[in-house]
Amino acid sequence: MRTAFKGLMAALFLSLPMMASAQESAQDRASVLILDASGSMWSQLDDGTSRIEVARDVLSDFLAARDPAQPLGVIAYGHTRKGDCTDIEVLAPVGRQDPAGLGARLRTLNPRGKTPLADALQLAASQIPVNSEEADIVLITDGLETCGGNVCAVASGLAAMGIPVRAHVVGFGLTKTEMAQIACVADTTGGLVLSTQSGTELADALIRTTAPVVADGLPADQATLNLTIRADSAGRPDRVQFSAENLATGAMSPLGTLDFTQAAALRVDLIASDYRIIADAGEMGHGEIVVPVAAGDSRTVYVPFQGLLPTLDMPAPTGAFRVGVNALLPYRVRQEGLATGGGDFILSLLPLDAATTTDRRSDYASQDSTLGGHVGAFRAPPEPGDYLLTFSRNAELPIDAVMKAFVVTFVERPDVTLTAPPAVEPEAEIPVTIAGGMGSDDWLEIRLNDQRVSWDNTVPLAEFFDNRYGPAKPLLAPTQPGEYELVYIFGGLDDAHQVATRLPLTVGTVPSFDEDARATGADTNTPAPTPQPAEAGRCDDDTGCGMGEDAPHPGSGVVQVVIAADGAEGQPIDWTLIPIGREGEPPIASGAAIAGPWTTALDEGIWGVNGLADGATYFGQITVSASGPVSFAIPRDRAVDMATDIEPPLSEDIGFTCDDAVQCSFEDPEAQIIGVIPAGWVTDVPTREAYVAGGDRGLVRMSFFNPDAPENTVILNPRQWLAMNGPCLEVQPGLLCHFEPASAETLAAFDMLKLLLRDTAPRNLPGPAEAMATIISDLAKEDPNAARAMEALMGAAAAGGNGAMPDMGYALGTLATEASPTASSYMPGEVLRRCSLKAACPFEQPNVQIAGILPPSWSVEVMTRRPDGTVSTWFTDKDPAGNAKRIGLNQSGGDSCVATRVGTLCAFTPYIATDEIGLIASTLVQGSAADLRNAIADKVDAPKPITNPAALDALLSQLEGN
C-alpha cells in the first residue's frame, strides 16, 4: 500500500492534461512524461525514500487514474548504460496505454547513467502527433544537465512549435539555485515548476496545482464538487465512501465510493447549502469537513482524513545496548495499518528532552510495518548515555504522537543475561531469553571445551527472532549427549573479549526440575546459575484456562476475551475455539450452550471460532494479544434446518460445490479463474482485486474448504497471512497457503490445487474449450504430467453425464512416477547464513562439504544433496526497490549461467549485478573453510570485491572460528 503522499502525486498529471471541458476531443491534446532514471535517482529524500521509488509511484498512480482516452507517451533516460549521453529510450509512443503493461515496464528501470535533459526534452517534443492542438511535457528530474545540452534553448524551440506546448518541471531534492537553472523550461512554455525536498512536500505541491473540473449546464441552484481526501501520516486507503449531511435540513445523503485505483476524485452535484462532508473507509479510517456550497461552485474539496496505524507488540528493551554497534529491537505487527511501504515507519534516536521526532535526532532507520514478526535495527550513538528511542510514522511528529517511546541506555560493554533450561534433549530446540546486548552482529552458540561445536548450533541474533524472511531460526542442541555451554558472543571483538556471558547446558535425558530455567550473570569466566521462581499461575482457578470463569495473570501470555455472536440476541450458542498454527494445543469448548457473551481466557495467537445454535452457525477467525482487542463479534455463517435435517441451499458466500465422489472442474468467467475442487469441498465466491495503482493486475482471492471439517482449508492469495499459520507456495495464480497442522485431506487437496489452478486473465476468452486448451498448453511447458491429467479431467467433463470423471488424485499420483525435467520452482527454505547490509560474509555447511562467500545483504539457504550426488540451494536478496533477486545452484532453468567447482550457478531473476554472481561463483568450493582459503590464495578465480589480503583473512577467520 502506498504512503499518503504517493497517492496524491497522480493529481498533478490529472490536472495538467485534463483541464479541457467534457466536450473537448481526447485526441486534440497529448502528454509526454520524461522520467529521470540516472544513477543519482537511488539517492534518498529526507524521509528515507529513494527518489526513483517516489517517481515510480507518481507514474503508477498517473497510469491507474488518468483518462485512458487521452494520448500519452513515456520517455526515460539513464537506465541502461553508465556514462552514455545517448541512453534515452521511448518506453511508450504517444497513444492509448495499457496501465498494467506500462506500469510493469517502469518498475524494471534500474537507474545507472547520466542526465541528458536537453536531448530528452527534444525527443519528447518530436513524439507529439502532428494533429494535436496542444500538448503537455512533464519532466521529472533530480539533477541538472550533465551532457552539455542547453535546456533553455530547447524550451524556446517548444514555444515556437505552433501549438501550445507546456513543459512542467518536477524537481526532486534540488537546491533553489539548481531549480533556477532549469526553471526556464517552464517559464518559457507556461508550465509549472515544483521544487520538493520530501514526499510530503511533493504531495502539498501537487495539491496546490490541481485545477478544478469545469462543469457545464448545471441548474441555477446546484454546484459541482470533486471530493477527495487529505490523508494524515497514517496513509491513504484504497477506497473511501463519501456522504453529505445538509446542515440546513439535517438530511443525510450517500454520495458514492471513490476508488483511488480508478480516479483521484469523486465528482458530485449538490444543491447550494452548508454541508458536512464525511469520508469513511471503515476500520481503515474516517474524516469529515464542513463546507459552504454556493450555486455554480465548481471546485475540489479535500476532506482531512485520519487513517489506521498498525497495531504493534513492541516490548521495551531489557538491559543496555553496546555503544557504536547497530542495535536490534524485535517486534510484531498484529494488524496492518494503511501504510506498509519500506520507508513508511522509522525508529528515531533522540535526546531525552526532544520535542519532536526530528529534534536533534542522532539517527533514524526505516522499519517494516507489514503483518508478522520483524527485527527492528538502528545505529547506536558513538557516546554512552541515556537516549529516547521512538517508533513512529516517517514524518516530523511531536513526541506525544509517536506509537512507541522508550528510554534506552548505551554503555561500552553491557551486561548480558541469558535464561534457558538447564538440560535439553539432543537436537532439541533451546528456548532462550536475552536481556542486554542485542547487537546486530552478536550471536548465540553452543561450546564444548570452550570451542564452538558447529555452525548448526549457532544462531545470529538477527535470525533468532521472527523476521521479514520468515520464522525465527531456533538454537539447536548438539546431537551428542554431554556437558556444554550456551554462550553469547559480542560481534566484532577479538577472541579474548567477545564472550559476553555463558550458561552451563546439559544435553541428554532431561531430569524433572521444579525450576526449569535459570539465568546467567555477566561473569564470563565461571558459570553463575541463579534459581528462578516457578512460573506464575496463568489463571486463578484450578480448571485451566479457557473454561469461562478464569482470570489470567498479567504477563502470563493469556488474555481474557469476550466472544459474542453478531445479531444472536441472547440465543444459546455452543462455542468451540480451535488454535491455528500451534501444533499440539487442544481446542477449547464452552461446555454448554451459552446465552449472551462468553468470557474466557485464551493463549495469545490466532484462533478459529465456531458457534452452533438452533438454526444457525457462526464462524470467524480472531487474533488474541495483550495489546489488541478483547471483545469479538462472530458473524453468522449460514442457516441450518435442524428440524428436517435437510441440507439448506448454499448461501451467497458459497461459489462452487463438489458433491461428486471425485473432484469437480469449475470456471468463473467473471473472476477469470479455472481449476478443480476436491471431492466434497466447496469454495467461497472468487473475487478479483481491481487494478492496483502500480499498474499490476489484481489477484484472484478464494478459499477451498470442507464444510464438514472447516479446519481443512486451502486459501488462494490470502489478504493477511502469518508465517505461523502455515506454508505458502507460489503458483500460477499467486500464493497458495494452508494452515498447520494439516490433515492428509488438506495436503492432498493442496497438491492437486497447486498444479491445476489457473488465472486466465487478461485473456478475453471466447469459450471454455478454447481457454482450457490454452491453459493446458501453458501447463505442459511447466509440468507435462499435470497437463495430461488436466486434459483427461476436462475431456471427461466434456463427455457430460455419460462420461465418468477420472480421479485426479490418482491420476496425478500415477503420472508423478513418469517425472520429466522441468524448470525448478522456488519455495523459500531455511536460511543457512545471511550477510549484513555492509559487508560480505563466509558460509560453510559441513554435512555437504560446501563453503563460499556471500555478497553483502545476500542469504544462502540450507543445501541438500540429490540422489545424483549434486548439491542444490538458492541464494537470495532484494534490490533497493524491493525486487527479489535469486540465484540457483544446480537448479533447472535460469539464465546467465556460470560453471563453478560444485556445479552450475544460474540467475533466476533480473537485477543481479555481475559482481554479485561472480563473487559467489568464484568462491564456491567443495570442502571446508581451509579449502576456500587455499583456493583464493592460489588466485583461482579470486573474487574481485575482496582485494585486501587482511580483510580476506579476517573474513575467513570468521568461518573457521579462529
Side-chain angles (χ1 to χ4, degrees):
M1 187 176 294
R2 286 190 174 80
T3 54
F5 71 82
K6 294 178 181 176
L8 294 173
M9 292 176 184
L12 172 63
F13 303 113
L14 289 170
S15 64
L16 296 181
M18 297 182 187
M19 292 180 185
S21 68
Q23 287 77 23
E24 182 182 1
S25 169
Q27 298 300 323
D28 291 339
R29 58 190 301 113
S31 301
V32 183
L33 308 182
I34 305 173
L35 176 60
D36 182 346
S38 62
S40 59
M41 286 290 282
W42 280 122
S43 300
Q44 290 187 337
L45 298 172
D46 290 342
D47 64 1
T49 309
S50 73
R51 297 168 182 171
I52 186 61
E53 291 175 287
V54 174
R56 285 168 174 166
D57 288 336
V58 169
L59 296 179
S60 294
D61 278 345
F62 165 69
L63 291 171
R66 67 183 298 273
D67 180 1
Q70 298 284 350
L72 171 71
V74 179
I75 292 172
Y77 60 80
H79 59 288
T80 305
R81 300 176 295 275
K82 294 181 180 180
D84 188 348
C85 287
T86 65
D87 183 14
I88 310 172
E89 181 183 359
V90 178
L91 301 181
V94 174
R96 295 176 67 96
Q97 302 297 340
D98 168 38
L102 185 53
R105 175 71 179 92
L106 291 172
R107 292 194 177 276
T108 65
L109 298 180
N110 187 15
R112 64 181 66 190
K114 297 180 75 67
T115 309
L117 292 183
D119 288 346
L121 199 59
Q122 189 69 58
L123 179 60
S126 71
Q127 297 296 302
I128 299 172
V130 295
N131 60 345
S132 296
E133 295 187 3
E134 55 183 320
D136 292 275
I137 298 175
V138 181
L139 172 63
I140 304 171
T141 181
D142 77 331
L144 302 179
E145 173 72 45
T146 61
C147 291
N150 188 335
V151 292
C152 296
V154 174
S156 298
L158 298 180
M161 283 187 65
I163 64 170
V165 177
R166 292 168 296 276
H168 314 277
V169 178
V170 179
F172 280 75
L174 298 180
T175 66
K176 291 183 179 179
T177 301
E178 290 170 332
M179 286 300 299
Q181 295 182 52
I182 56 174
C184 59
V185 174
D187 294 343
T188 306
T189 62
L192 301 170
V193 179
L194 303 171
S195 175
T196 61
Q197 303 298 324
S198 69
T200 302
E201 291 179 4
L202 178 60
D204 291 340
L206 300 182
I207 291 173
R208 291 195 298 270
T209 60
T210 303
V213 177
V214 177
D216 297 325
L218 283 175
D221 62 343
Q222 286 195 13
T224 293
L225 300 182
N226 296 286
L227 302 180
T228 187
I229 63 172
R230 180 177 287 114
D232 67 357
S233 63
R236 188 202 71 185
D238 291 334
R239 297 174 184 84
V240 175
Q241 291 183 334
F242 284 97
S243 57
E245 178 188 4
N246 188 319
L247 298 182
T249 65
M252 180 69 73
S253 303
L255 300 178
T257 299
L258 172 58
D259 185 338
F260 284 100
T261 68
Q262 304 296 327
L266 177 69
R267 175 172 170 162
V268 299
D269 295 333
L270 295 173
I271 297 174
S273 184
D274 291 341
Y275 289 88
R276 184 187 312 278
I277 307 296
I278 301 167
D280 186 72
E283 67 174 5
M284 291 292 106
H286 181 87
E288 56 184 61
I289 189 174
V290 173
V291 294
V293 178
D297 273 357
S298 180
R299 58 194 173 95
T300 300
V301 173
Y302 296 92
V303 180
F305 188 86
Q306 183 174 0
L308 178 69
L309 290 167
T311 300
L312 296 178
D313 285 347
M314 182 178 283
T318 55
F321 296 101
R322 188 152 59 110
V323 166
V325 175
N326 289 352
L328 301 179
L329 181 65
Y331 65 97
R332 179 171 293 278
V333 177
R334 292 290 183 184
Q335 180 183 14
E336 288 184 352
L338 284 170
T340 57
D344 289 336
F345 291 86
I346 57 174
L347 285 171
S348 299
L349 198 61
L350 307 160
L352 294 178
D353 60 347
T356 70
T357 53
T358 60
D359 180 11
R360 293 162 290 156
R361 181 168 62 188
S362 60
D363 188 59
Y364 71 94
S366 299
Q367 305 300 322
D368 202 326
S369 57
T370 56
L371 196 67
H374 305 287
V375 179
F378 59 97
R379 286 180 287 273
E383 299 297 330
D386 293 337
Y387 295 81
L388 183 65
L389 180 67
T390 64
F391 182 94
S392 69
R393 194 71 164 83
N394 193 351
E396 182 176 0
L397 298 172
I399 296 301
D400 59 5
V402 304
M403 298 177 63
K404 295 287 183 179
F406 310 107
V407 175
V408 293
T409 301
F410 292 88
V411 298
E412 294 291 344
R413 187 178 179 89
D415 292 338
V416 177
T417 300
L418 302 178
T419 303
V424 294
E425 300 283 350
E427 300 184 87
E429 295 185 12
I430 307 172
V432 183
T433 59
I434 305 168
M438 295 301 294
S440 62
D441 292 330
D442 297 353
W443 70 88
L444 295 171
E445 66 181 28
I446 306 297
R447 289 191 175 189
L448 178 63
N449 298 325
D450 210 24
Q451 297 294 320
R452 180 191 303 122
V453 174
S454 166
W455 283 107
D456 293 335
N457 309 110
T458 301
V459 180
L461 227 57
E463 300 174 18
F464 190 60
F465 306 92
D466 290 349
N467 55 71
R468 67 187 180 101
Y469 298 100
K473 180 180 179 181
L475 179 64
L476 300 178
T479 58
Q480 298 299 318
E483 299 299 323
Y484 296 86
E485 287 182 312
L486 170 61
V487 182
Y488 184 104
I489 301 295
F490 283 141
L493 300 183
D494 58 34
D495 290 351
H497 301 91
Q498 66 176 193
V499 175
T501 191
R502 61 181 81 222
L503 184 66
L505 178 70
T506 298
V507 176
T509 302
V510 179
S512 177
F513 286 104
D514 291 334
E515 301 150 3
D516 61 358
R518 76 274 192 246
T520 67
D523 184 355
T524 63
N525 296 315
T526 59
T530 302
Q532 295 293 300
E535 181 183 17
R538 288 148 45 98
C539 302
D540 286 337
D541 67 351
D542 297 326
T543 62
C545 293
M547 298 308 295
E549 72 280 5
D550 316 319
H553 291 297
S556 64
V558 179
V559 180
Q560 185 166 285
V561 301
V562 179
I563 307 292
D566 191 7
E569 299 180 353
Q571 183 181 32
I573 298 175
D574 192 358
W575 293 103
T576 302
L577 308 178
I578 302 171
I580 296 176
R582 301 189 295 284
E583 185 174 0
E585 188 172 336
I588 293 175
S590 58
I594 296 175
W598 174 39
T599 300
T600 186
L602 299 178
D603 286 331
E604 292 185 298
I606 299 176
W607 293 81
V609 183
N610 293 275
L612 180 62
D614 185 11
T617 58
Y618 296 84
F619 180 76
Q621 180 174 299
I622 63 175
T623 299
V624 177
S625 70
S627 60
V630 295
S631 296
F632 301 94
I634 308 304
R636 181 167 176 164
D637 188 13
R638 59 176 180 172
V640 178
D641 189 348
M642 301 296 289
T644 61
D645 197 26
I646 296 177
E647 183 177 352
L650 293 174
S651 75
E652 295 180 357
D653 294 332
I654 301 299
F656 299 94
T657 65
C658 183
D659 296 325
D660 294 346
V662 294
Q663 71 293 314
C664 310
S665 64
F666 77 92
E667 177 190 8
D668 190 312
E670 183 176 351
Q672 296 179 292
I673 184 77
I674 195 169
V676 298
I677 306 171
W681 283 41
V682 302
T683 80
D684 60 1
V685 178
T687 59
R688 181 179 291 279
E689 296 293 300
Y691 279 86
V692 298
D696 296 328
R697 178 164 52 101
L699 296 171
V700 175
R701 302 187 191 278
M702 65 186 304
S703 298
F704 303 79
F705 58 96
N706 184 336
D708 298 325
E711 65 273 15
N712 293 331
T713 299
V714 178
I715 303 176
L716 177 64
N717 296 315
R719 292 183 181 276
Q720 295 182 341
W721 190 260
L722 295 174
M724 63 183 291
N725 289 352
C728 293
L729 180 67
E730 291 182 12
V731 296
Q732 191 270 349
L735 205 62
L736 193 67
C737 308
H738 70 76
F739 292 103
E740 286 283 16
S743 66
E745 179 184 0
T746 299
L747 295 176
F750 187 83
D751 287 340
M752 181 184 300
L753 292 169
K754 73 183 182 182
L755 290 173
L756 300 180
L757 283 178
R758 282 296 181 270
D759 184 340
T760 62
R763 301 183 182 96
N764 294 317
L765 300 179
E770 184 176 342
M772 181 52 69
T774 303
I775 296 304
I776 291 176
S777 176
D778 291 342
L779 179 61
K781 300 173 184 177
E782 303 175 20
D783 192 330
N785 298 325
R788 293 199 299 273
M790 193 169 193
E791 191 171 19
L793 170 68
M794 301 313 297
N802 295 327
M805 276 298 263
D807 186 334
M808 285 299 294
Y810 174 78
L812 291 176
T814 302
L815 290 172
T817 62
E818 307 170 9
S820 57
T822 59
S824 297
S825 58
Y826 175 69
M827 184 173 182
E830 181 182 357
V831 174
L832 173 67
R833 185 74 192 272
R834 181 179 298 118
C835 288
S836 68
L837 294 175
K838 295 184 178 180
C841 66
F843 66 90
E844 177 186 15
Q845 188 170 327
N847 66 324
V848 296
Q849 284 291 292
I850 300 288
I853 295 176
L854 295 173
S857 79
W858 277 75
S859 301
V860 59
E861 296 180 0
V862 173
M863 293 170 259
T864 58
R865 189 176 295 281
R866 293 172 168 168
D868 63 1
T870 61
V871 173
S872 64
T873 191
W874 294 97
F875 302 87
T876 61
D877 189 26
K878 288 188 177 181
D879 71 3
N883 299 306
K885 298 195 291 187
R886 190 162 66 249
I887 297 172
L889 174 64
N890 294 323
Q891 306 283 1
S892 58
D895 52 24
S896 302
C897 297
V898 180
T900 74
R901 304 177 189 88
V902 297
T904 303
L905 202 66
C906 299
F908 283 76
T909 64
Y911 320 113
I912 297 172
T914 302
D915 285 348
E916 290 175 323
I917 194 170
L919 175 59
I920 298 172
S922 62
T923 58
L924 277 174
V925 297
Q926 184 78 52
S928 63
D931 299 300
L932 175 59
R933 181 187 295 275
N934 293 336
I936 298 176
D938 293 340
K939 303 186 183 302
V940 178
D941 299 324
K944 293 181 180 179
I946 305 177
T947 57
N948 185 326
L952 176 60
D953 187 72
L955 188 64
L956 293 175
S957 293
Q958 292 182 38
L959 186 62
E960 296 171 335
N962 294 331

